[in-house]
Amino acid sequence: MNAPLHSNITIDTYMTPLEHPEFAGHEQVVFATDEAAGLKAIIAVHNTNLGPALGGCRMWNYASTSEALTDVLRLSKGMTYKNALANLPLGGGKSVIIADARRDKTPELLRAFGRHINRLSGSYVTAEDVGISSDDMEIICTQTQFARGTEATGFGDPSPYTALGTFAGIKAAAKHKFGTDDLTGLTVSLKGLGHVGYDVARQLHKAGALLIVSDIYEPAVKRAVEELGATSVSTEEAHRVSADIFAPCALGGELNAETIPQLKATVVAGAANNQLETPEDGVALMKRGILYAPDYAINAGGVISIALGEPGTSDAIVRQKTLAIGDTLTQIFKRADAEKRPTSIIADELAEERFQHHHNPAV
Ligand code: NAD
């Protein structure tokens, strides 16, 4: 909305983060810039009841600051729920750097971001997400101890654990829906072949599933077709092709009023964050008889590896905790069936039971 200020000047009346519809009681929202380094970032700390707010940093070429703010607030709140549901002693937060990861990323920019993280004195701990690699985290770590996901702070790249947990979650969903977790001959449409998506695709292929793949990055699609015998479709078709399982592994908002009626798969289970555009979309999936594996439950493997993967921890323990994602999902599916309510709401309630009435005096 434009408000007249002067006869020939108008200014935008901005909504502040406090009035933002996704604000959801955030403890802190920090706008961080460094002109010399070209940094524009937002750091959001949603809740620290269970411990320091841990959540990745996403680098994305957002169309506007307000789009970035909406994304970071939703992702940050999601981390509170994800960390609580995964039974970790951690709160939830997230950060976004507003820039094109393939074009604008420089060591100066990453270092400037690290300095801003350091100023928060540990209420937020960062890690990698879309657009930020473990090499980038190594640079960020030169400026702050409050960064994880590097070789020095633990197991390095969390993506393989996210992929492992997602694969375990797909099997749990198949077992609940089709009565068997043998994926042989099942068709999975997988959208997004990045660090996580490609790894999930490999595991599905190994388990005998037939793959339909899509990505805006053509070389990844070509590789999946050549290496995994996948069939490629356009990114617009991914959700509406004939498949048993739809696995969103790209960005959020994949499940909405337009896409849900077009789904042919009866299971949606993938790694992407914030898959539901609105909470009502969880209800719409249930009404269509589609089993939805709540995103933050199925994709918690990465954060489990970051939280528990201290140097010296055995890989077997982290893998075991990650594979337990399948059991958590089965618990959610059964409770949703028994109460005839959406899996998304059941997952939220389980998480809220853990973090809402807890207070961590150390933070
Ligand atoms: P990534 O950047 O490695 O991969 C994302 C892929 O999606 C890229 O190949 C990109 O080209 C593709 N993509 C982007 N927009 C697309 C579109 N419209 N249609 C099709 N493909 C598109 O990221 P990642 O680490 O693999 O993460 C994938 C998803 O999983 C994200 O939503 C992320 O938040 C979530 N996630 C990742 C982790 C992790 O450990 N990396 C943990 C939890 C959740």
Side-chain angles (χ1 to χ4, degrees), residues 170-318:
I170 290 174
K171 283 179 56 162
K175 173 112 182 147
H176 192 79
K177 190 72 182 177
F178 309 124
T180 173
D181 64 2
D182 180 357
L183 303 179
T184 313
L186 288 186
T187 302
V188 183
S189 173
L190 199 143
K191 181 170 181 175
L193 292 163
H195 290 94
V196 178
Y198 201 87
D199 201 346
V200 173
R202 271 198 308 102
Q203 293 180 61
L204 288 168
H205 173 66
K206 208 169 151 203
L210 307 170
L211 291 174
I212 298 172
V213 297
S214 54
D215 195 296
I216 50 170
Y217 187 56
E218 201 47 46
V221 175
K222 190 164 174 278
R223 186 174 158 213
V225 170
E226 286 169 4
E227 284 182 5
L228 310 174
T231 305
S232 74
V233 293
S234 71
T235 54
E236 292 76 28
E237 282 175 287
H239 68 278
R240 54 174 194 245
V241 290
S242 259
D244 300 295
I245 299 169
F246 175 47
C249 293
L251 297 185
E254 202 60 61
L255 305 168
N256 54 47
E258 190 193 326
T259 58
I260 291 171
Q262 298 171 339
L263 282 169
K264 297 210 179 63
T266 52
V267 169
V268 176
N273 275 316
N274 294 335
Q275 291 174 34
L276 302 178
E277 198 168 280
T278 68
E280 290 72 41
D281 296 317
V283 182
L285 286 165
M286 182 187 74
K287 285 192 176 152
R288 280 214 54 209
I290 296 167
L291 181 67
Y292 168 61
D295 44 16
Y296 64 84
I298 191 170
N299 69 19
V303 82
I304 291 171
S305 82
I306 289 167
L308 304 179
E310 305 268 335
T313 311
S314 106
D315 175 65
I317 289 174
V318 178

Side-chain angles (χ1 to χ4, degrees), residues 275-361:
Q275 291 174 34
L276 302 178
E277 198 168 280
T278 68
E280 290 72 41
D281 296 317
V283 182
L285 286 165
M286 182 187 74
K287 285 192 176 152
R288 280 214 54 209
I290 296 167
L291 181 67
Y292 168 61
D295 44 16
Y296 64 84
I298 191 170
N299 69 19
V303 82
I304 291 171
S305 82
I306 289 167
L308 304 179
E310 305 268 335
T313 311
S314 106
D315 175 65
I317 289 174
V318 178
R319 286 177 69 87
Q320 191 192 355
K321 293 261 186 207
T322 301
L323 291 172
I325 286 172
D327 303 331
T328 303
L329 282 170
T330 301
Q331 189 191 349
I332 292 168
F333 297 152
K334 286 187 175 160
R335 186 159 148 186
D337 280 357
E339 298 179 15
K340 297 192 173 24
R341 294 193 306 141
T343 53
S344 47
I345 291 179
I346 301 296
D348 286 356
E349 287 179 0
L350 280 175
E352 283 162 5
E353 283 162 19
R354 291 181 189 164
F355 78 81
Q356 269 182 351
H357 304 294
H358 193 282
H359 180 63
N360 179 14

Side-chain angles (χ1 to χ4, degrees), residues 37-252:
L39 175 74
K40 253 174 88 176
I42 311 175
I43 304 160
V45 175
H46 176 250
N47 188 288
T48 57
N49 283 3
L50 291 173
L54 176 73
C57 170
R58 174 172 291 190
M59 190 168 191
W60 192 253
N61 201 10
Y62 293 100
S64 65
T65 310
S66 95
E67 188 185 294
L69 177 63
T70 303
D71 206 31
V72 77
L73 291 175
R74 294 187 70 189
L75 291 165
S76 165
K77 179 181 168 198
M79 287 310 298
T80 300
Y81 282 73
K82 180 193 290 200
N83 292 341
L85 197 62
N87 245 330
L88 296 169
L90 293 167
K94 198 91 181 183
S95 52
V96 293
I97 297 177
I98 305 167
D100 185 328
R102 292 198 175 99
R103 193 191 59 204
D104 306 325
K105 200 190 287 171
T106 62
E108 290 72 29
L109 182 143
L110 295 170
R111 280 195 286 269
F113 176 70
R115 287 194 293 276
H116 276 290
I117 299 302
N118 208 43
R119 285 190 188 176
L120 291 173
S121 308
S123 64
Y124 170 67
V125 180
T126 196
E128 65 174 88
D129 190 59
V130 176
I132 294 288
S133 68
S134 39
D135 287 346
D136 299 331
M137 286 313 302
E138 298 285 356
I139 298 174
I140 292 168
C141 271
T142 61
Q143 307 299 310
T144 180
Q145 57 171 310
F146 306 117
R148 305 297 300 267
T150 64
E151 298 301 335
T153 57
F155 286 8
D157 182 6
S159 307
Y161 295 92
T162 305
L164 180 72
T166 302
F167 180 66
I170 290 174
K171 283 179 56 162
K175 173 112 182 147
H176 192 79
K177 190 72 182 177
F178 309 124
T180 173
D181 64 2
D182 180 357
L183 303 179
T184 313
L186 288 186
T187 302
V188 183
S189 173
L190 199 143
K191 181 170 181 175
L193 292 163
H195 290 94
V196 178
Y198 201 87
D199 201 346
V200 173
R202 271 198 308 102
Q203 293 180 61
L204 288 168
H205 173 66
K206 208 169 151 203
L210 307 170
L211 291 174
I212 298 172
V213 297
S214 54
D215 195 296
I216 50 170
Y217 187 56
E218 201 47 46
V221 175
K222 190 164 174 278
R223 186 174 158 213
V225 170
E226 286 169 4
E227 284 182 5
L228 310 174
T231 305
S232 74
V233 293
S234 71
T235 54
E236 292 76 28
E237 282 175 287
H239 68 278
R240 54 174 194 245
V241 290
S242 259
D244 300 295
I245 299 169
F246 175 47
C249 293
L251 297 185

